[in-house]
Amino acid sequence: LHINAAAVVPDCYAEWRPLIQDAIDLFLARLSHSRTEAITRHQAVLPPDTGEEERAVALMRDCPMLHKLGQVLARHQRLDAAFRARLQRLENSAPSMRLDDVREHVLRELGDTVTRYRIELSGEPIAEGSVAVVLPCTWAPPRAKRRRNGVLKVLKPGVSELLAEDLAILDEVTVLLDERKDRYKLPGLDYGDTLGSVRDLLTEEVKLDQEQRHIREARTVFDRIEGICVPKLLPFCTPRVTAMEAIAGVTMADYTERVGEAREQSKSYATRIVESMLAHSVFSREALTFFHADPHAGNFMAMDDGQLALLDWSLIGRLTKPE
């Protein structure tokens, strides 16, 4: 199992290729035998003419820590545009998991509520992130006749174990960077702190019960703001499953590709994104306020009724009034 940094890293970052190659080699060498076998199988089924860039993205999808690191880098405006576009597919591309991969896992997590709320998984995954997959479902309250549409955000099977392994290796990568600062001509930064931010992001993202608390808090605020929607939680959430009402629309990533000449509508969504992501927090009169801490195009949805839906509340930040 090998990734060639020279083929993946653009020429404008050629000076960093030795560093990146050493870090990749260390990471792959430290993976358990079972992980290496699984990743090798996934690489083997890719078309024979698949390029190194595609293989690198596929590798990142198999490793929660690399998946999240790729998503974070994809938002860095000063990175090479073509490089960013490849990394952005880690946020916006079609799910790689299939319903058969997670069906038993989901039903086991939901337990007796499957019968009580007559929950049925109604199709293939509609979204996939570094630690979770989103499935459509239908359900009905007890004694109700009409079925309702919902979605289930479910931690991927075994992701906690994969994440623990990835983060242990990340600590070794940090040591490597600190030991070889001079060789790589690196600035004298605290690389433990820098890479630790990735650790913190991922650790928070697997706490779905915490995300559910964030959603309840966000709904108390944004339900009062016209044109903004935070999906409502359904009554069968668990610590590993966030059940929400289904939202009809497309993610902003897809919307911006399809919008064509609808400039006024685009301007309306842009205004609401700024209001909800920035102005709400910056101009709040509260002693302590919060903000959505994972703002990217895949977490905004242009709803069919014209509203803007704010998705994925696993990560939030807080600001005091003086701040």
Side-chain angles (χ1 to χ4, degrees):
L1 185 61
H2 178 72
I3 296 294
N4 182 5
V8 175
V9 179
D11 290 341
C12 55
Y13 307 118
E15 64 183 303
W16 306 114
R17 284 172 179 159
L19 178 159
I20 294 170
Q21 188 67 67
D22 288 350
I24 291 173
D25 290 345
L26 173 61
F27 184 86
L28 295 178
R30 294 293 189 270
L31 287 173
S32 64
H33 181 66
S34 60
R35 289 282 300 282
T36 303
E37 282 192 332
I39 293 170
T40 301
R41 285 196 301 272
H42 293 167
Q43 294 279 326
V45 299
L46 294 173
D49 60 348
T50 301
E52 288 279 356
E53 298 96 336
E54 297 292 328
R55 292 191 178 278
V57 171
L59 169 66
M60 295 172 89
R61 279 187 170 276
D62 280 333
C63 303
M65 187 272 289
L66 294 183
H67 194 147
K68 174 54 64 177
L69 182 59
Q71 290 178 331
V72 171
L73 286 173
R75 301 172 204 173
H76 197 308
Q77 297 290 330
R78 295 179 64 187
L79 284 184
D80 174 74
F83 189 41
R84 286 186 67 210
R86 287 200 295 270
L87 294 174
Q88 283 167 355
R89 286 168 34 221
L90 292 167
E91 293 177 334
N92 304 327
S93 61
S96 61
M97 300 191 77
R98 303 266 62 91
L99 179 58
D100 288 345
D101 299 331
V102 293
R103 181 191 297 275
E104 292 305 317
H105 172 71
V106 174
L107 297 179
R108 185 169 58 251
E109 286 292 334
L110 292 173
D112 294 342
T113 60
V114 172
T115 301
R116 183 181 178 192
Y117 291 100
R118 291 173 279 165
I119 303 167
E120 294 181 4
L121 304 181
S122 56
E124 294 293 334
I126 56 178
E128 183 178 341
S130 52
V131 300
V133 60
V134 179
L135 302 165
C137 72
T138 62
W139 68 288
R143 297 180 296 280
K145 294 182 179 180
R146 185 176 66 86
R147 298 190 63 77
R148 305 177 185 183
N149 294 321
V151 295
L152 304 173
K153 179 179 177 180
V154 186
L155 290 182
K156 296 178 183 178
V159 72
S160 297
E161 293 76 17
L162 299 183
L163 182 56
E165 183 178 354
D166 285 1
L167 293 179
I169 301 173
L170 181 65
D171 290 339
E172 294 191 55
V173 173
T174 301
V175 172
L176 177 78
L177 293 177
D178 283 327
E179 288 179 347
R180 301 185 182 181
K181 284 179 184 177
D182 294 337
R183 182 190 306 183
Y184 298 136
K185 300 180 181 178
L186 294 175
L189 303 177
D190 183 342
Y191 293 97
D193 181 64
T194 303
L195 292 180
S197 64
V198 177
R199 171 190 289 276
D200 294 342
L201 288 170
L202 280 165
T203 301
E204 293 299 301
E205 286 204 22
V206 297
K207 300 175 182 177
L208 293 194
D209 50 350
Q210 177 172 272
E211 179 188 26
Q212 292 153 28
R213 292 194 295 272
H214 295 167
I215 290 173
R216 293 186 185 97
E217 183 177 0
R219 281 183 57 81
T220 65
V221 172
F222 291 109
D223 272 5
R224 304 194 300 266
I225 301 177
E226 184 178 356
I228 301 293
C229 172
V230 176
K232 182 170 68 174
L233 293 174
L234 302 181
F236 40 90
C237 294
T238 77
R240 298 178 66 86
V241 176
T242 297
M244 297 170 284
E245 63 178 330
I247 299 294
V250 296
T251 66
M252 200 56 63
D254 292 333
Y255 176 82
T256 53
E257 292 180 2
R258 303 176 190 176
V259 68
E261 297 301 316
R263 300 302 181 195
E264 288 307 311
Q265 186 62 27
S266 296
K267 203 178 297 183
S268 173
Y269 280 127
T271 298
R272 274 177 275 173
I273 289 172
V274 172
E275 287 176 345
S276 58
M277 293 294 101
L278 297 174
H280 154 71
S281 300
V282 173
F283 299 110
S284 173
R285 292 187 175 92
E286 301 298 325
L288 182 68
T289 188
F290 69 95
F291 58 91
H292 191 299
D294 196 12
H296 63 78
N299 283 344
F300 303 133
M301 181 171 280
M303 295 174 61
D304 290 349
D305 63 5
Q307 292 192 89
L308 173 73
L310 309 180
L311 310 177
D312 192 348
W313 288 88
S314 53
L315 302 175
I316 68 167
R318 296 188 184 277
L319 291 171
T320 64
K321 186 63 175 174
E323 289 169 332

